[in-house]
Amino acid sequence: MTRLIDGRAIAAALRAAVAEQVARLGYRPGLAVVLVGEDPASAVYVRAKDRAAGAAGIAAQTRHLPADTSEADLLAVIAGLNADPAVDGILVQLPLPPHIRARAVIEAIDPAKDVDGFHPINVGRLHDGVAALVPCTPLGVMKLLAAADVSLRGARALVLGRSAIVGRPMAALLTAADATVTVAHSRTRDLAAECRRAEVVVAAIGRAEMVRGDWIAAGAAVIDVGINRLPDGRLVGDVAYAEAAEVAGAITPVPGGVGPMTIACLLENTVRAAMARRDP
Ligand code: NDP
């Protein structure tokens, strides 16, 4: 019997726990979200983050800068937020316009305020197994696996995708949780065979329904990070859900799986950053 991993419900419980924690703090953690340009998807994400932060009692501010903002001006905004004691977390919404080097901007964020966990210092800490601010999407996946009681110790886990945002930190977290991890990518020779060996599959490739049901081992846990819009407007994941759900032991839907966890984990990271900075 396949279990549906309900990301909406698990994220709602996490958001409520964060709100309770904030209410006990005696101050409002501050989150600054920086948006450059008019990318409509980014604007939707930023609004959702702002709303969720406000609902959890976090003081959220959005800095919306024009698309022609220079890299120097953006770095000056980041420097101001780094220096602002009321700001505990800084998030720069990606992608940035092509004339701005994302790497330079990420490296300018104070690592103690880097609630996306993308700064090289936090990346290094994660890979060293030291406490760090961890990227929100893979952190959310770990919480989904825990909520679904998926046992990771010694389990064969396959991470599909090796991006800095999802695949690589995901592999580090699974390794830290004692899984035996394989990372697959566009040069992997036989993706289906790698998949069939895995007891835990995390798909983050951005290819609509590429992972088929007959790639999934009976009883495997399948976490679908992918968000792909089909020409007919439907949102689907990287996994062919209906086929995979017939064989998987547990599976996340798209939408309603990993997506809601990403924002909930951002709130959790903001509170963690606030507590570490204000009450070390
Ligand atoms: P990237 O495009 O940065 O990385 C995609 C990865 O998948 C790369 O490592 C790439 O390999 C690999 N890949 C691409 N095509 C194939 C293929 N045909 N076979 C095997 N591997 C392939 O994407 P992201 O990691 O940023 O995002 C992945 C997906 O997750 C997207 O759908 C995105 O929308 C979604 N996402 C969802 C979030 C959420 O909150 N739910 C948050 C972030 C992302 P190579 O390295 O060789 O190029």
Side-chain angles (χ1 to χ4, degrees):
M1 175 68 182
T2 302
R3 278 171 298 141
L4 174 81
I5 305 176
D6 183 349
R8 282 201 185 102
I10 298 164
L14 178 56
R15 284 203 311 271
V18 169
E20 270 177 36
Q21 202 180 5
V22 169
R24 284 196 302 270
L25 281 179
Y27 61 87
R28 294 185 76 192
L31 172 66
V33 180
V34 181
L35 173 64
V36 184
E38 307 300 332
D39 178 58
S42 291
V44 170
Y45 290 139
V46 166
R47 265 199 305 278
K49 288 168 184 174
D50 191 79
R51 236 188 344 256
I58 290 169
Q61 52 166 302
T62 299
R63 296 286 182 88
H64 191 172
L65 308 173
D68 62 359
T69 300
S70 70
E71 186 179 298
D73 285 349
L74 177 55
L75 291 176
V77 168
I78 303 289
L81 295 171
N82 283 344
D84 184 344
V87 172
D88 297 290
I90 302 169
L91 180 156
V92 177
Q93 184 66 41
L94 301 176
L96 288 167
H99 65 278
I100 298 178
R101 293 168 302 153
R103 179 67 23 221
V105 174
I106 288 166
E107 291 187 10
I109 296 173
D110 177 350
K113 296 188 176 187
D114 168 38
V115 283
D116 255 343
F118 295 160
H119 190 287
I121 286 190
N122 285 318
V123 174
R125 285 181 181 145
L126 170 60
H127 285 269
D128 283 347
V130 180
L133 287 166
V134 172
C136 301
T137 300
L139 182 60
V141 171
M142 294 304 285
K143 289 178 188 293
L144 291 176
L145 289 167
D149 280 328
V150 174
S151 165
L152 294 174
R153 179 173 298 180
R156 282 189 304 275
L158 177 70
V159 178
L160 282 169
R162 57 176 167 181
S163 72
I165 292 174
V166 191
R168 287 173 202 256
M170 189 73 250
L173 288 170
L174 289 166
T175 304
D178 292 333
T180 302
V181 181
T182 302
V183 179
H185 44 76
S186 67
R187 302 287 181 267
T188 297
R189 215 171 296 129
D190 189 346
L191 219 49
E194 296 294 344
C195 231
R196 286 187 192 111
R197 268 195 288 277
E199 296 159 283
V200 177
V201 175
V202 180
I205 49 180
R207 297 279 178 270
E209 300 182 322
M210 186 171 149
V211 177
R212 309 309 307 186
D214 67 356
W215 294 20
I216 304 294
V222 179
I223 308 289
D224 192 351
V225 180
I227 303 175
N228 310 286
R229 195 169 286 284
L230 297 180
D232 67 8
R234 273 187 313 131
L235 274 188
V236 297
D238 292 341
V239 178
Y241 178 83
E243 291 174 16
E246 299 217 335
V247 278
I251 188 166
T252 57
V254 175
V258 175
M261 292 303 290
T262 297
I263 290 185
C265 288
L266 170 68
L267 306 182
E268 191 185 61
N269 273 356
T270 303
V271 173
R272 174 174 299 185
M275 290 170 70
R277 264 181 7 94
R278 299 188 194 222
D279 193 14

